[in-house]
Amino acid sequence: MAISEALTRTLNVAGNTVAREAKDWLPVSAKGKWSSRFKSNESSSAASFSLSSSGQTSSSANSTLSLPRFNPPRTPPYYDNDDDNAPGSPSRMRPRSTYSRLHADIMIPKRNITLTQKLAAALVGVWFVIFFIIVFRGTAPQVDFDPLRNEIHNSKAIISSTNPNINYVGRWSRNKAQGSATGLLMSTYFPGTYFDVRFTGTSLSIHLGNLDDPVTMTVRIDDSNTYEILPYGREVVSLARDLPDGEHVARVLFSGARRTDIEALYVDKGKALLPSIGEPRQIVEIFQDTYNSSHPDVLSWSYLLASNFNVDRVLISGNDMCISNCPNDIMALDKFYFLGSLSAARGMPKYWHFEEYRPSLIILDLGVATKRLMDKKLMYRLLLPQDASKVYSESYMNFIRQIRKKVHKRVPILLLRPFDGSLETESLQVVQTLRQQGDKNVHWIDTTGWATNTLDDEATKHEKRASFLSLHACPFLRPRHECQFLYPFEGKLEI
């Protein structure tokens, strides 16, 4: 009797266990409807089996074990015509059939992953990535782009590009750079920038950070009239060698690159840079809407003008830019003037810090690029000529008002009539209107007849323009009694 009771309890436990297992694997939507059936099956399983006194197993219905029916899911999930989630179902309002609710979901028990487990998995992934970078980064081959670098590092003294004895002229910015010779860079996006430096020894070299975009450099040693052009400069470049041992002065001008990075200067072992002699020079800021990269910068009228008065020149030159409301992707000059760089590269300032220098004179040479765009029907094509002139003049005046309001309130500004005569009437109207409104430090310079002879070469034209413009700029850069002895010239003086 004890054996029969034990066998009955074992069969009951097994049946209940199978029922519970099947219940856990059902979809959530079917659990409530099947729970009552499981309970009835659990009770019926115990009632259906009993042992007779003779020890034989008997059942009221049959001699087999009665378990709850459970149909395994189909793969892929089956959708019937009444399933509202089925593709192409004609109606989403009809309820799903019992068969769909049982077999539409994949019969996999759902596990609730806690936030802590998710964070732990993410942390493991991050640590794996860091480990991969540390291990495999050191195995990459180290390429020496310039074999001269190691030799110079061993035989020369390294001078940081941020050394205060280097006099940078133009819009330069200081940046941090990993892997550079000193960890710092002096960078610029503007052509026509340069620096002056005094040093001792017999040689001078420069370490550039430009690898993909070479730099064209023009070098002058010891205030001579001889300039040496060094094209395609990258990495370490020798600027001067075999000089007499002693003090020297070098000027290095840059052009031809979208960005120039200076990592360091190199002088002889035991030598150093010397501080500048004399007072800081005056600065003339020249803003142009075009830039002729084929013409040497040291022969341009802007550089020759600054050389006539021994002042520094800051050149801000756009690449065929209009003043405002430019078409397509052309940058407007009224925004370009206030920028510190033309790129979103890391470390480069977006806007220029005007406290870096204060010019004694500003010269605006604008209008040529806008006239070209108008001739190509890219600007003001829907306006009448008189309306287009009015819009241009108003844009020019607003740009000068921005300069007055934001940075240079009382610095004299000279507006040049474009040398080819583009929009000359509009530029004169700008000056007249501003002077009537009270800005007496704005002047218009008539450049009619300045080096327009087609027989003159480009260098001669720039020399004549610099000579004529020197007469207009002299009262702002020198005492007036020093300007009356300048030679006369042909042209109109509109100051």
Side-chain angles (χ1 to χ4, degrees):
M1 189 65 182
I3 296 176
S4 63
E5 293 178 356
L7 182 59
T8 301
R9 287 196 299 269
T10 302
L11 292 175
N12 291 336
V13 171
N16 295 334
T17 303
V18 173
R20 285 193 298 269
E21 293 287 340
K23 180 180 178 181
D24 292 338
W25 285 80
L26 284 172
V28 178
S29 60
K31 284 183 179 180
K33 193 168 284 189
W34 278 64
S35 59
S36 60
R37 186 179 300 181
F38 287 146
K39 293 180 181 179
S40 62
N41 286 338
E42 291 175 5
S43 59
S44 64
S45 63
S48 298
F49 290 88
S50 63
L51 289 177
S52 63
S53 59
S54 61
Q56 298 292 329
T57 309
S58 63
S59 175
S60 60
N62 48 48
S63 60
T64 59
L65 180 64
S66 177
L67 296 177
R69 182 180 178 182
F70 173 70
N71 294 321
R74 298 184 182 183
T75 304
Y78 173 79
Y79 294 93
D80 65 356
N81 293 332
D82 293 332
D83 190 0
D84 56 351
N85 286 331
S89 175
S91 174
R92 300 183 61 89
M93 300 301 295
R94 292 178 295 176
R96 291 194 300 176
S97 63
T98 304
Y99 190 83
S100 299
R101 292 197 296 269
L102 292 179
H103 299 282
D105 298 327
I106 299 176
M107 303 300 183
I108 298 178
K110 299 182 179 179
R111 296 181 179 179
N112 295 326
I113 302 177
T114 62
L115 180 60
T116 304
Q117 293 174 336
K118 294 180 181 179
L119 293 177
L123 185 61
V124 171
V126 171
W127 278 109
F128 177 79
V129 173
I130 295 176
F131 174 79
F132 181 85
I133 293 176
I134 294 176
V135 171
F136 293 96
R137 185 179 181 182
T139 61
Q142 301 296 326
V143 181
D144 190 1
F145 293 98
D146 192 346
L148 187 60
R149 172 189 283 190
N150 295 332
E151 179 182 352
I152 288 183
H153 279 192
N154 297 330
S155 61
K156 301 292 183 179
I158 302 177
I159 307 297
S160 173
S161 59
T162 59
N163 191 294
N165 292 328
I166 305 176
N167 180 32
Y168 289 97
V169 179
R171 294 191 174 183
W172 294 83
S173 60
R174 178 183 301 184
N175 306 307
K176 294 182 179 180
Q178 296 180 356
S180 65
T182 59
L184 294 173
L185 290 176
M186 290 299 293
S187 306
T188 181
Y189 266 91
F190 298 88
T193 54
Y194 60 90
F195 70 82
D196 296 325
V197 62
R198 293 178 64 235
F199 64 98
T200 59
T202 63
S203 65
L204 177 67
S205 301
I206 188 172
H207 190 172
L208 299 171
N210 298 64
L211 295 177
D212 301 327
D213 195 7
V215 180
T216 299
M217 294 177 289
T218 306
V219 184
R220 184 188 69 183
I221 303 296
D222 292 336
D223 294 330
S224 64
N225 292 326
T226 302
Y227 290 84
E228 181 181 3
I229 299 178
L230 304 176
Y232 308 110
R234 66 179 70 188
E235 282 287 310
V236 179
V237 180
S238 177
L239 302 177
R241 63 176 71 89
D242 300 330
L243 299 175
D245 192 6
E247 297 183 5
H248 301 280
V249 180
R251 170 170 289 188
V252 184
L253 298 95
F254 300 89
S255 61
R258 291 171 297 186
R259 173 174 175 172
T260 301
D261 296 325
I262 302 178
E263 296 188 8
L265 297 179
Y266 299 107
V267 296
D268 296 338
K269 282 286 187 180
K271 305 300 181 178
L273 303 185
L274 302 176
S276 302
I277 299 177
E279 297 293 330
R281 292 189 291 266
Q282 292 177 289
I283 294 177
V284 175
E285 185 178 79
I286 299 176
F287 190 35
Q288 297 176 312
D289 57 1
T290 58
Y291 179 72
N292 186 6
S293 58
S294 62
H295 187 70
D297 185 47
V298 294
L299 298 180
S300 64
W301 64 264
S302 60
Y303 187 83
L304 296 175
L305 173 67
S307 300
N308 290 341
F309 296 99
N310 193 26
V311 299
D312 285 328
R313 179 213 61 178
V314 173
L315 179 63
I316 308 171
S317 182
N319 187 12
D320 293 335
M321 299 179 181
C322 63
I323 291 184
S324 65
N325 300 322
C326 299
N328 301 329
D329 57 347
I330 301 176
M331 181 177 293
L333 292 173
D334 57 358
K335 296 180 180 178
F336 175 71
Y337 179 81
F338 300 96
L339 295 180
S341 67
L342 303 182
S343 171
R346 183 178 180 181
M348 294 296 292
K350 182 177 181 180
Y351 297 102
W352 174 246
H353 302 288
F354 285 90
E355 63 272 10
E356 294 290 336
Y357 66 84
R358 179 178 175 82
S360 301
L361 178 65
I362 298 176
I363 299 177
L364 302 180
D365 182 18
L366 309 177
V368 176
T370 302
K371 187 62 168 61
R372 292 176 182 173
L373 295 174
M374 293 174 62
D375 293 340
K376 295 178 181 179
K377 305 300 182 181
L378 297 177
M379 288 191 65
Y380 311 137
R381 59 182 178 180
L382 300 179
L383 300 178
L384 296 175
Q386 59 272 22
D387 295 333
S389 300
K390 183 178 180 181
V391 172
Y392 173 78
S393 301
E394 189 64 28
S395 300
Y396 208 157
M397 284 188 289
N398 290 335
F399 170 57
I400 297 177
R401 292 189 185 107
Q402 291 184 48
I403 296 177
R404 292 299 192 208
K405 181 179 179 180
K406 296 180 179 180
V407 287
H408 306 304
K409 296 182 178 181
R410 295 180 178 84
V411 177
I413 298 178
L414 303 183
L415 271 71
L416 299 184
R417 168 193 174 272
F419 294 112
D420 61 353
S422 301
L423 303 174
E424 57 178 333
T425 304
E426 289 77 4
S427 61
L428 176 59
Q429 182 181 357
V430 168
V431 175
Q432 292 175 346
T433 303
L434 291 175
R435 292 180 68 88
Q436 291 175 359
Q437 295 176 357
D439 191 349
K440 302 300 183 181
N441 279 330
V442 179
H443 310 275
W444 187 70
I445 308 299
D446 187 2
T447 63
T448 303
W450 289 16
T452 57
N453 190 349
T454 57
L455 299 178
D456 293 337
D457 57 5
E458 196 68 19
T460 302
K461 292 180 180 179
H462 282 268
E463 290 178 2
K464 291 183 178 180
R465 293 169 183 171
S467 299
F468 295 155
L469 190 55
S470 296
L471 295 175
H472 297 276
C474 183
F476 304 100
L477 301 174
R478 292 287 185 270
R480 288 190 175 271
H481 67 274
E482 297 182 8
C483 301
Q484 60 185 352
F485 300 104
L486 295 176
Y487 58 88
F489 70 102
E490 294 180 2
K492 299 179 181 179
L493 194 61
E494 299 288 348
I495 296 183

